[in-house]
Structure formats: C-alpha cells, structure tokens
Amino acid sequence: MTDVASEEPKALTDDDILQRVLRTKNQPTGSQTLGFRLLSVSQENRSVEVAFEARAEVLLNPMKQIQGGYLCAMLDECMSVACMVASGMTSVAPTLEMKTSFFRPAQPGVLKGIGRVVRWGRTVAFTEGELYDAEGRLLAKATGTAIPTPFNNYKK
C-alpha cells in the first residue's frame, strides 16, 4: 500500500488573479461597455483597484456628463470583482441591494474605482466602492450587500 498525498489546489496569488482577469477573452459585455480594466488586487484587504474608460459616445447624459446609472454600474462592478477576489476566485456575489451617493459630476475619460469587501459571510457579503476622476476627486460612493454563490452553481 502506498501513501498518496492528496494535493490541495494551489491558492492563487494576487498577481495570478490579476493576470487571469487581464488575459480573459470572455469579458462580460457590460464590463466592455464601461471600459473596465483591473489594475490591482489585494486578497489580504479583499479589495481591487480598477479603471474605467468612460467614453463620451456611449455614456453621456444630455448635460454631457456620465449618466448616473453608468456610475452605479461601475461601482457595482468594483464591488462584485472585490467579492470574487475575497472568495479566492471561487464565487460570484450577485448584488441584493446597493446605495449610491453622488458627490460631483463625472466627465468622460479614465475613472478610477476602488472596491472592497467589508465582511464576507456564508450567506451575505457587505461591500463598499468609490469612483474617482483623473485628479483624484471623489465622484461617487456606494455600499452594497450581495449573496456569495459558488461558480459551480452556474455550470450548465
């Protein structure tokens, strides 16, 4: 009889996660529309930093500012990706509810987003997100709750 050590799956590093997202060929169309790009990952802090290319030809309201619904979608994306990171890339976390506060109008161009998981539980995750303009001014902030759900629950 031989002893065969069962191998645990190797935990992903922050850089593994970053490279995996940057290399994906299946970026969701919503993420594409928002111009989403992952910049950094911190599993220890359960947070992500992202950039959005807010294109004038797609996202403007009649006042020539980025429409607030798109800013909400950007914040939701930041918080959702932070949830994936908090799970070690094993789960998604569909949003149950989200509250957004707007502080100043957003103009077309690159916007920076921060998403973090404040608390990750078995049945609920509490999240926060912020959006900043190119000068580092806070544009909008959101809090949310989500349902951690393993990826394998979505397999067909």
Side-chain angles (χ1 to χ4, degrees):
M1 185 162 134
T2 61
D3 287 332
V4 177
S6 62
E7 289 188 32
E8 296 273 331
K10 182 183 168 209
L12 296 171
T13 67
D14 291 349
D15 192 56
D16 290 338
I17 293 171
L18 179 62
Q19 294 308 314
R20 182 175 170 182
V21 172
L22 292 175
R23 285 192 313 262
T24 187
K25 296 193 182 348
N26 297 315
Q27 187 182 46
T29 56
S31 300
Q32 292 173 33
T33 299
L34 298 173
F36 171 86
R37 183 170 36 95
L38 187 61
L39 299 175
S40 68
V41 170
S42 172
Q43 292 178 86
E44 181 180 354
N45 297 324
R46 298 185 295 198
S47 66
V48 296
E49 183 177 323
V50 304
F52 297 97
E53 180 61 44
R55 298 183 323 249
E57 64 275 10
V58 178
L59 308 178
L60 292 187
N61 64 20
M63 295 177 293
K64 307 289 186 221
Q65 299 162 346
I66 304 302
Q67 197 270 339
Y70 290 116
L71 298 177
C72 287
M74 290 175 187
L75 288 162
D76 189 43
E77 187 90 351
C78 292
M79 295 185 296
S80 295
V81 174
C83 284
M84 291 170 56
V85 166
S87 77
M89 300 303 282
T90 63
S91 296
V92 293
T95 304
L96 285 172
E97 66 82 29
M98 183 174 152
K99 179 193 182 295
T100 304
S101 298
F102 300 97
F103 299 105
R104 64 181 338 118
Q107 302 301 319
V110 177
L111 305 180
K112 178 180 162 186
I114 306 289
R116 75 183 65 79
V117 175
V118 178
R119 181 174 168 88
W120 180 270
R122 258 185 329 109
T123 59
V124 69
F126 296 92
T127 59
E128 295 178 340
E130 292 112 30
L131 280 179
Y132 297 88
D133 65 12
E135 286 78 40
R137 296 177 296 199
L138 181 63
L139 301 171
K141 186 170 185 164
T143 57
T145 55
I147 305 173
T149 308
F151 279 124
N152 61 9
N153 287 7
Y154 291 100
K155 290 183 180 175
K156 293 182 180 180

